[in-house]
């Protein structure tokens, strides 16, 4: 879990008055992992890594994943205030607040452009693509009189069209942001101005002003609470717009400002706080009011983007406004990622560029030879004529000498052959990706009914990468499991109350409380153990009964759960909904309520618990929240019998280290055994302890706490020390077992992915036993696997363990007779290895020379399971693989602790789960369930990769065949670079004549059906083997292109050889023939036809005829009426037919031979799909091609 809260929650100002409600002192702290999550990093892991905020981690130039060298105090979330990090705000005094420098206004702007900056900035961003610069240079060269091949306006048209389409898209997106900003800035807030509250637009709110927020209203800026409608100063806020978490959070006003109302008392004071930063879970400040200095922490501030709930009103003073608010500082999106296919495409573009240079060089060299040979005849040679005799004074026609003529010929060749680099390819790829994203979003098989969440495509530029994933890195809690915790069993005072687990005899217990004629009952029911129920009801006064009483009291009190009363269908019955950031805490509180310990009220100073029908009020004297160092939380209660007790719960690794082992050693051993048993069943465990405090111990704690909470420097470290001092010499009460069930379809999904050749690694913060148990239930681990466990506590120990494991893996693979048998699909006779490593070992391995050994070992294993890992260690594991192999990586998770891993991987997938939307907001794709990964990769990923790979090669072919036709023509016209094809047809070729069909095919074509792809996951290996786009395919395509260009050019040339046909007429023939050819070439490769495909293919051919006819019907253009003249001749129609047959026949036969004698998996499956019966063929063992290893980087 990743929901987190501040380190400390309030202690009273008056410790000796236990019955008085008290106001908290909130120090600053980072937002650590959630309180009750047993999925926590190992105690010895990098504390700075586990606490560092994502924003601060991303801002550092280098990141350490495993080292413990960084001091936790240096992390951004834990940084202490100093004079350079301070801003001073005078409450309700704007002039003095802005005296030193003016603070930011509250107007926000999420747009990229303004009216003035749109054109230059948008063009600057678009020209980051090198191909655009290439075409800009071409267009500029064509403006020079010496190089003007095409009309000046026509030469700019393709580039202008592409730039315009992209600019219109960007402008529309930015307009929507402008509109959203305008609505947000013009919302109204109640601000104290001129001794009264007045409505003021949000954009006009200033730092230092006092603002009044009503229930269900949004917070206009970051503000420190002064008072609330609750007499104890509590306010409830919902942060769903900030971090996606729907549960209510509690915020508190200081006791000293509670009674001050602006209308009656003039509120003055000074707030000294840290400068604006991105850490939404940390805040550190002081407030001076009436001569007192009060410490402020994260629980005293409400942030812009939150909403006030269950509180009538709240008063606060603005401390951060506008772009300096935490939500705006965190508004940047996920880092930009680039498709692997597009990156590889650059190599082919370079090859085409070199080929273009070769063509231009050939033309210029041939022109040089021709000019030298015909030097004596240049003055009056037909069609060239160097001299102009039209005037009395004889001059040269645009002749600049032999050397310059060669240079100009080279540059003019580049202009004529410019379409060799397909400018339309980029915009075609963008449009295809949009279409692919539309169908992924609309896929009903990736719709989660439980959360009403559709698939989200948040990054449009990496769709095709989904078809090449080799490694999947998955979180466990909330990703493989539901993250809906159910209390299953407990060990109390050495007794295992687990007798009814898994049986139908276990009661669904509903505990009711009646208050003023209204029945209160928990919203969720919990299965109860009959023995435990009997003990609570009939043996209260026994020693065993007292321990059970203390255990469930700890579960009900040691938390930050807020009980909310909601209506039910029965007007006499109200439901108590326990709101909290941690599903574990909610499960424990519901369990306590089921056994008769019902939490019914919480304020900042006390809690009320109904214990077996008797309402008891406990003063909350202090509550030390969970943090990633201590891995436990504690609450100090003033009990009705005037005793003071501290209740503590946390991970077993830290709880047993603070127990008093002189007492009940047998009970500790029994509890440890029960915890191990629970973990082996896949349950999440927590240990509960307590001790009674003497008056002197409490006074010492209180004075230490007060000193730490008001310290100017090192406050966070001091507060952790205070917490550690009180949490010792505990009596172990017992342990709880909570079940986090697997999501539906997880075992089948993992099995399908592994069959597809995808390696699944699980990275979790859970205990090793729990992770292994989940591994078995999810089919990640099998009983036939040989497990390699690495649990080391030193670097040398890690080195020895890795070397021994590598040696053992080599022996096992040698015995199995296949060096690579540990990779890929497990089968009979193959030794499969599973590596299980804990976070402590990773501390010494990551960022050291041992990384290479870990990668070598992991590369020999079918499964890797990392336990007790910190968030940045997850990113470190992904980086370990990503930096050492060319394989594609995918990370999937659901919580904030998965964000760094998601952003590190080539593809990041967020789960819309119980832990908020932090992972979703940082991801490239988002969905509701882990099982949707199968259709996403095996179906859509395969389709997207196949379509995009083919579309890129087709675009190269389509443009290259056109350029080669122009090249052949140049060789027959004395290298003068005149063109028979009109300049308009040259420019429209890639835009209108041939663009639409390739886009339609890129969106709609399917080489195989969904059923086939899901039935045979091995077909996903086509992406691993790069079957749809590789260097071999590129060169084969270019050879085919060369032949087709020869057929298109020379058949009409020989047919009309010796005739009087003009160049415009034969140019129209070449134009029509090449358009028909490339479209029929595309039609030969289409597998799934639809009416849209037919319309695009044949419609483009018809559109070309219409355009050619229209162009030739305009008298002012070259080639007037040429098409009408040539169509009257018989050879015209024969040439069209002969070109198609001659150009495509070799391709047809080569394709037939390859598919008949050496078919790939996809072609075999396609034949089985078309001619066979899949239901019959499914049981048949079809041998698939092995997935070849790609070279390491």
């Amino acid at each position: 879990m990743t929901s987190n809260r501040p380190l400390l929650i309030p202690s009273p100002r008056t410790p000796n008055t236990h019955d008085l409600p008290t106001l908290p002192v909130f120090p600053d702290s980072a937002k650590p992992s959630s309180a009750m999550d047993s999925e926590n990093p190992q105690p010895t892991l990098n504390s700075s890594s586990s606490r560092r905020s994502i924003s601060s981690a991303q801002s550092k130039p280098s990141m350490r994943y495993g080292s413990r060298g960084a001091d936790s105090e240096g992390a951004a979330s834990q940084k202490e205030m100093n004079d350079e990090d301070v801003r001073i705000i005078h409450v309700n005094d704007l002039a003095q607040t802005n005296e030193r420098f003016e603070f930011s206004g509250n107007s926000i702007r999420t747009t990229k452009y303004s009216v003035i900056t749109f054109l230059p900035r948008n063009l600057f961003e678009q020209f980051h693509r090198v191909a655009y610069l290439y075409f800009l240079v071409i267009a500029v060269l064509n403006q020079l009189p010496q190089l003007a091949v095409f009309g000046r306006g026509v030469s700019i048209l393709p580039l202008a069209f592409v730039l315009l389409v992209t600019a219109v898209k960007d402008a529309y997106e930015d307009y929507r942001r402008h509109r959203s900003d305008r609505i947000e800035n013009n919302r109204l807030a109640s601000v104290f101005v001129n001794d009264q509250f007045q409505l003021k637009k949000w954009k006009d709110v200033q730092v230092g002003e006092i603002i009044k927020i009503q229930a269900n209203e949004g917070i206009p800026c970051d503000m420190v609470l002064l008072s609330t409608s609750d007499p104890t100063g509590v306010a409830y806020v919902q942060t769903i717009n900030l971090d996606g978490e729907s549960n209510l959070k509690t915020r508190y006003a200081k006791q000293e400002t509670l009674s001050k109302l602006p209308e009656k008392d003039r509120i003055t004071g000074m707030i000294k706080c840290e400068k604006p930063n991105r850490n939404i879970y940390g805040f550190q400040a002081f407030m001076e009011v009436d001569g007192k200095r009060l410490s402020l922490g994260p629980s005293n501030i409400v942030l812009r983007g939150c909403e006030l709930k269950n509180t009538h009103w709240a008063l606060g003073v603005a401390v951060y406004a506008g772009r300096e608010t935490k939500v705006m500082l965190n508004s940047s999106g996920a880092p930009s990622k680039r498709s692997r296919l597009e990156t590889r495409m650059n190599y082919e573009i370079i090859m085409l560029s070199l080929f273009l240079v070769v063509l231009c060089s050939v033309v210029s060299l041939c022109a040089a030879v021709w000019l030298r040979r015909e030097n004596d005849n240049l003055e009056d040679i037909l069609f060239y004529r160097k001299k102009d005799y039209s005037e009395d004074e004889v001059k040269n026609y645009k002749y600049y000498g032999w050397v310059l003529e060669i240079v100009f010929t080279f540059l003019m060749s580049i202009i004529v052959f410019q379409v060799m680099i397909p400018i339309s390819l980029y915009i075609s790829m963008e449009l295809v990706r949009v279409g692919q994203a539309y169908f992924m979003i609309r896929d009903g098989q990736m719709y989660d009914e439980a959360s009403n969440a559709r698939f989200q495509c948040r990054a449009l530029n990496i769709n095709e990468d989904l078809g090449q994933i080799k490694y999947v890195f998955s979180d466990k809690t909330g990703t493989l499991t539901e993250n809906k915790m159910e209390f299953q069993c407990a060990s109390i005072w050495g007794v295992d109350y687990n007798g009814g687990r898994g049986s139908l005899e276990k009661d669904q217990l509903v505990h009711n409380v009646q208050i003023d004629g209204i029945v209160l009952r928990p919203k969720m029911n919990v299965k109860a153990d009959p023995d435990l129920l009997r003990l609570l009801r009939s043996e209260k006064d026994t020693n065993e009964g007292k321990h059970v009483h203390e255990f469930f009291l700890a579960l009900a009190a040691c938390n930050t759960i807020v009980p909310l009363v909601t209506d039910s269908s029965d007007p006499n019955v109200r439901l108590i909904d326990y709101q909290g950031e941690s599903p574990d805490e909610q499960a424990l509180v519901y369990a306590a309520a089921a056994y008769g310990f019902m939490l019914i009220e919480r304020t900042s100073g006390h809690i009320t618990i109904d214990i077996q029908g008797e309402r008891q009020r406990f003063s909350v004297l202090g509550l030390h929240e969970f943090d990633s160092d201590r891995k436990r939380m504690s609450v100090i209660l003033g009990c009705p019998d005037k005793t003071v007790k501290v209740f503590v719960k946390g991970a077993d690794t830290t709880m047993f280290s603070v127990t008093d082992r002189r007492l009940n050693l047998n009970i500790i051993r029994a509890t440890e055994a029960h915890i191990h048993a629970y973990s082996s069943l896949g349950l999440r465990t927590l240990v509960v302890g307590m001790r009674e405090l003497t008056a002197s111990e409490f006074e010492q704690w209180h004075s230490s706490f007060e000193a730490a909470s008001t310290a100017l420097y090192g406050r966070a470290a001091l507060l952790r020390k205070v917490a550690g001092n009180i949490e010792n010499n505990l009596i172990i009460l017992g342990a709880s077992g909570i079940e986090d069930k697997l999501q539906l379809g997880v075992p089948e999904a993992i099995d399908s992915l592994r069959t597809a050749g995808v390696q699944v690694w699980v990275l979790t913060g859970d205990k090793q036993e729990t992770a292994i148990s989940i591994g078995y239930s999810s089919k990640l681990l099998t009983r036939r696997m040989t497990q390699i466990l690495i649990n080391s506590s030193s670097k040398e120990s890690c080195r020895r363990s890795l070397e021994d494991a590598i040696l053992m893996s080599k022996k096992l693979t040698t015995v199995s007779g296949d060096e690579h048998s540990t990779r890929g699909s497990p089968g009979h006779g193959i030794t499969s290895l599973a590596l299980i490593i804990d976070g402590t070992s990773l501390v010494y391995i990551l960022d050291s020379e041992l990384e290479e050994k870990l990668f070598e070992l992991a590369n020999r294993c079918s499964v890797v399971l990392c336990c007790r890992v910190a968030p940045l260690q997850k990113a470190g594991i992904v980086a370990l693989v990503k930096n050492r192999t060319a394989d594609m990586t995918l990370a999937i998770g659901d919580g904030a602790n998965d964000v760094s891993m998601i952003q590190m991987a080539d593809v990041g997938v967020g789960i819309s789960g119980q832990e908020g939307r932090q992972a979703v907001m940082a991801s490239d794709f988002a969905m509701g369930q882990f099982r949707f990964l199968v259709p996403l990769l095996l179906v859509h990923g395969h389709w997207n990769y196949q379509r995009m790979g083919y579309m890129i090669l087709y675009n190269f072919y389509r443009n290259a065949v056109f350029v080669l036709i122009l090249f052949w023509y140049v060789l027959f016209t004395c290298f003068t670079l005149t063109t028979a094809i009109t300049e308009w047809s040259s420019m429209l070729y890639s835009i209108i004549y041939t663009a639409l069909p390739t886009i339609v095919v890129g969106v709609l074509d399917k080489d195989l059906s969904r059923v086939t792809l899901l039935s045979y996951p091995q077909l996903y290996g086509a992406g691993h083997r790069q079957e749809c786009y590789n260097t071999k395919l590129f060169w084969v395509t270019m050879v085919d292109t060369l032949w087709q260009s020869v057929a298109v050019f020379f058949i009409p040339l020989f047919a009309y050889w010796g005739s009087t046909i003009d160049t415009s007429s034969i140019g129209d023939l070449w134009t029509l023939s090449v358009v028909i050819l490339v479209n029929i070439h595309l039609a030969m490769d289409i597998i799934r036809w639809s009416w849209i495909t037919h319309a695009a293919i044949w419609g483009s051919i018809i559109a070309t005829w219409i355009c050619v006819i229209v162009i030739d019907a305009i008298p002012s253009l070259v080639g007037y009426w040429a098409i009408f003249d040539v169509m009257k001749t018989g050879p015209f129609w024969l040439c069209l037919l002969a070109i198609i047959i001659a150009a495509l026949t070799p391709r047809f036969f080569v394709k037939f031979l390859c598919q008949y004698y050496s078919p790939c998996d996809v072609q075999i499956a396609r034949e089985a799909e078309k001619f066979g019966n899949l239901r019959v063929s499914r049981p048949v063992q079809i041998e698939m091609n092995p997935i070849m290893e790609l070279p390491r980087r």
Side-chain angles (χ1 to χ4, degrees), residues 553-594:
L553 177 60
L555 297 189
C558 191
N559 55 69
T560 55
I561 291 293
V562 177
L564 298 179
V565 179
T566 60
D567 295 328
S568 68
S569 56
D570 187 345
N572 296 321
V573 177
R574 301 287 177 83
L575 301 179
I576 296 184
D577 183 11
Y578 290 122
Q579 288 281 322
E581 302 173 41
S582 164
D584 294 81
E585 279 195 345
Q586 290 174 305
L588 294 176
V589 175
Y590 277 117

Side-chain angles (χ1 to χ4, degrees), residues 782-796:
T782 64
R783 299 295 176 184
R784 295 191 307 170
M785 286 184 177
T786 301
Q787 294 184 8
I788 300 174
L789 275 70
I790 298 181
N791 301 317
S792 303
S793 56
S794 69
K795 190 170 183 177
E796 281 305 313

